[in-house]
Amino acid sequence: MASKEIRRSQRLSGVEYEIRGPLVEEANRMEMQGNQIMRLNIGNPPQYGINPPDEIMHDLIYNLHNSQGYSESKGIFSARKAIMQYYQLKNFTNLSIEDIFVGNGVSEMIIMSMQSLLNDGDEMLVPSPDYPLWTAAVTLSGGNAVHYICDDQADWMPDIADIKAKITPRTRGIVLITPNNPTGAVYSRAVLEEIAEIARQNNLLIFSDEIYERLVMDNYQHVSIGSIAPDLPIATLNGLSKSHRVTGLRAGWIVFSGDKRHIRDYIEGLNLMASMRLCSNVPAQSIIQTSIGGYQSVDELLIPGGRIYEQRNAIYNGLSSIPGVSVMKPKAGLYIFPKIDTQKYAITDDKQFAMDLLHKERLLVVPGSGFNWQKQCYFRIVYLASVKELDEAASRLQHFLHGCERSSTVAASLETK
Ligand SMILES: Cc1ncc(COP(=O)(O)O)c(C=O)c1O
């Protein structure tokens, strides 16, 4: 009897994760054939020799003997207490360790928070561009991700008018990512206050993904929406992966603050989800207290002379010097999101561009559409590699673009269209 094909769930249609998608498979295949690929696609600090602080590794090993068993499903007491105190110092209100959940990275909390919230057809406002797990988590939960525009002409701030225009009776909440992946934007207090007002008027639950909060440069101030809107229920997500360079350990959390009277049932739903997955990785929980209190070694990486700071400058300067490439200097995080002038260069599709760049220059980046950003032609570079490698990346890109230049007459005719 011919066996019937086993197909994936239809919920996966429309779910994309380009950061680890076909381009990466192609890069792997090329490497198997002996090519050396410069991978600037994943925000994974240890992969680039940016390692966790010694103190964290010491505490991890010290606690390992006591971390074999399941923990409380919300997370161990000391971790949740430390998280609570962290947000008390940031002026969050109405915190309780009962409303703090520790997860296997922020990723697990994104998925669980959407699964416990959404009914089929419910809408979530998600930024475009976004960190694509948010869109995927909404879709997998039966919801519709409705993308609001972040404006590349306004330092990538969320477009308030667009948010307002996209609210319907089915809108349940809004996702903010600040500091932002992929753009490097840090949302201003004024913008956050406007978003809080929209949430207030439309009964929206705010989810603020702040995983890059401790990676801000140039004295910019990161403001958490949880600290400025005490009258609203707010879910803030954060974790150790990036600031403490422990992406593989999986430690993240979600904290509910503000006026939680109307979201009790939802929090109980999330609690049910947390209980069913028993607990998150316990060794990783044991380093949360050490990590978020006291001295923060990531600060050294973010000032002149520090690796992340210098690498950010190197790639920004390198990209800015290429004719037809424009880009905002990232204020925080690990990513830069440049735009290529498609009138100057014969590039029509960002995925094809990324594939051609990989084939011709052995440079792996993520196309803008991988972040639910539909305008041509943007792409994301991770600036975790050394200054030398990033300089090399910029010159490979320039070399590639040189080969795509449109003749001046074609470019002029496109301009007049
Ligand atoms: C904006 C954002 N949120 C969440 C995550 C997930 O991080 P983790 O699951 O390692 O905590 C990432 C990872 O790159 C991210 O960029």
Side-chain angles (χ1 to χ4, degrees):
M1 197 175 84
S3 44
K4 203 170 154 211
E5 194 188 359
I6 297 178
R7 310 263 314 158
R8 74 182 78 179
S9 157
Q10 283 168 3
R11 285 195 191 272
L12 281 168
S13 59
V15 170
E16 279 200 54
Y17 197 73
E18 193 70 43
I19 299 170
R20 288 181 185 249
L23 276 159
V24 177
E25 280 164 31
E26 180 61 5
N28 293 345
R29 195 193 60 77
M30 288 169 68
E31 266 180 354
M32 295 285 280
Q33 291 181 341
N35 296 289
Q36 270 198 354
I37 309 293
M38 193 186 285
R39 290 175 184 258
L40 301 179
N41 62 321
I42 297 190
N44 190 13
Q47 184 185 327
Y48 302 87
I50 306 186
N51 292 318
D54 287 345
E55 188 190 7
I56 306 284
M57 297 315 289
H58 173 273
D59 286 16
L60 181 72
I61 293 162
Y62 179 86
N63 282 297
L64 210 48
H65 283 296
N66 297 318
S67 305
Q68 287 98 335
Y70 294 132
S71 71
E72 262 190 72
S73 50
K74 286 181 184 174
I76 60 175
F77 181 86
S78 65
R80 286 188 291 140
K81 190 80 181 184
I83 293 167
M84 190 180 104
Q85 292 175 333
Y86 182 79
Y87 289 104
Q88 278 172 345
L89 294 178
K90 290 182 180 292
N91 294 326
F92 280 51
T93 56
N94 202 15
L95 293 156
S96 149
I97 76 161
E98 290 311 316
D99 298 333
I100 295 173
F101 297 79
V102 181
N104 291 304
V106 173
S107 303
E108 188 185 39
M109 300 325 297
I110 292 176
I111 294 167
M112 276 169 47
S113 64
M114 291 299 104
Q115 282 182 333
S116 354
L117 179 71
L118 298 174
N119 293 311
D120 286 351
D122 280 353
E123 293 171 7
M124 277 300 289
L125 287 162
V126 177
S128 168
D130 75 338
Y131 176 62
L133 180 60
W134 277 106
T135 296
V138 171
T139 310
L140 280 169
S141 306
N144 292 329
V146 176
H147 292 110
Y148 66 85
I149 295 295
C150 295
D151 187 358
D152 54 340
Q153 302 305 308
D155 275 359
W156 290 108
M157 289 292 145
D159 181 331
I160 299 294
D162 195 46
I163 294 177
K164 286 184 182 160
K166 287 185 172 152
I167 293 175
T168 75
R170 296 223 65 171
T171 313
R172 303 288 307 280
I174 180 164
V175 174
L176 309 178
I177 305 174
T178 180
N180 191 270
N181 174 10
T183 64
V186 178
Y187 297 170
S188 66
R189 178 181 290 266
V191 164
L192 294 175
E193 275 168 356
E194 283 189 273
I195 293 172
E197 188 51 34
I198 295 174
R200 208 169 272 129
Q201 285 175 10
N202 296 279
N203 207 21
L204 306 183
L205 183 49
I206 297 173
F207 291 84
S208 187
D209 180 344
E210 303 183 0
I211 192 169
Y212 299 100
E213 177 224 338
R214 287 175 296 279
L215 283 91
V216 177
M217 289 172 271
D218 309 329
N219 296 320
Y220 280 105
Q221 202 65 39
H222 175 265
V223 179
S224 293
I225 196 158
S227 69
I228 62 167
D231 59 317
L232 294 176
I234 291 178
T236 302
L237 299 97
N238 206 327
L240 303 184
S241 286
K242 316 290 176 167
S243 56
H244 293 78
R245 294 85 79 195
V246 287
T247 37
L249 295 183
R250 318 305 296 128
W253 55 83
I254 188 167
V255 174
F256 293 93
S257 64
D259 185 347
K260 295 178 272 193
R261 278 172 301 176
H262 304 299
I263 61 163
R264 276 282 146 228
D265 187 62
Y266 168 55
I267 296 178
E268 274 317 303
L270 186 60
N271 191 25
L272 182 63
M273 294 285 297
S275 308
M276 287 189 295
R277 65 87 160 98
L278 302 175
C279 66
S280 70
N281 176 26
V282 180
Q285 292 186 48
S286 74
I287 59 163
I288 290 178
Q289 185 180 20
T290 312
S291 297
I292 61 180
Y295 166 73
Q296 296 293 308
S297 67
V298 72
D299 294 348
E300 288 164 19
L301 302 174
L302 303 166
I303 53 175
R307 263 195 76 174
I308 296 178
Y309 177 91
E310 298 298 340
Q311 290 163 191
R312 187 270 318 246
N313 286 359
I315 194 66
Y316 172 72
N317 293 336
L319 291 169
S320 308
S321 69
I322 304 175
V325 173
S326 50
V327 68
M328 183 190 87
K329 190 173 192 177
K331 298 179 173 63
L334 309 173
Y335 316 97
I336 191 161
F337 198 55
K339 173 188 178 183
I340 296 173
D341 180 350
T342 51
Q343 293 188 343
K344 183 169 177 55
Y345 299 109
I347 293 171
T348 47
D349 177 88
D350 62 345
K351 285 189 180 162
Q352 191 58 49
F353 153 74
M355 194 59 93
D356 292 345
L357 187 67
L358 175 62
H359 285 148
K360 291 197 177 144
E361 302 291 337
R362 299 175 318 289
L363 184 58
L364 181 58
V365 300
V366 185
S369 55
F371 304 95
N372 296 297
W373 179 252
Q374 305 312 340
K375 278 202 220 169
Q376 291 300 330
C377 170
Y378 291 69
F379 63 102
R380 187 190 78 171
I381 287 186
V382 175
Y383 50 78
L384 282 166
S386 67
V387 166
K388 193 164 165 260
E389 286 168 297
L390 292 168
D391 287 346
E392 167 68 20
S395 55
R396 286 193 201 179
L397 177 69
Q398 183 156 19
H399 181 253
F400 174 85
L401 288 176
H402 190 63
C404 304
E405 234 165 307
R406 295 184 195 272
S407 71
S408 47
T409 41
V410 176
S413 80
L414 280 171
E415 233 163 79
T416 51
K417 276 187 186 160

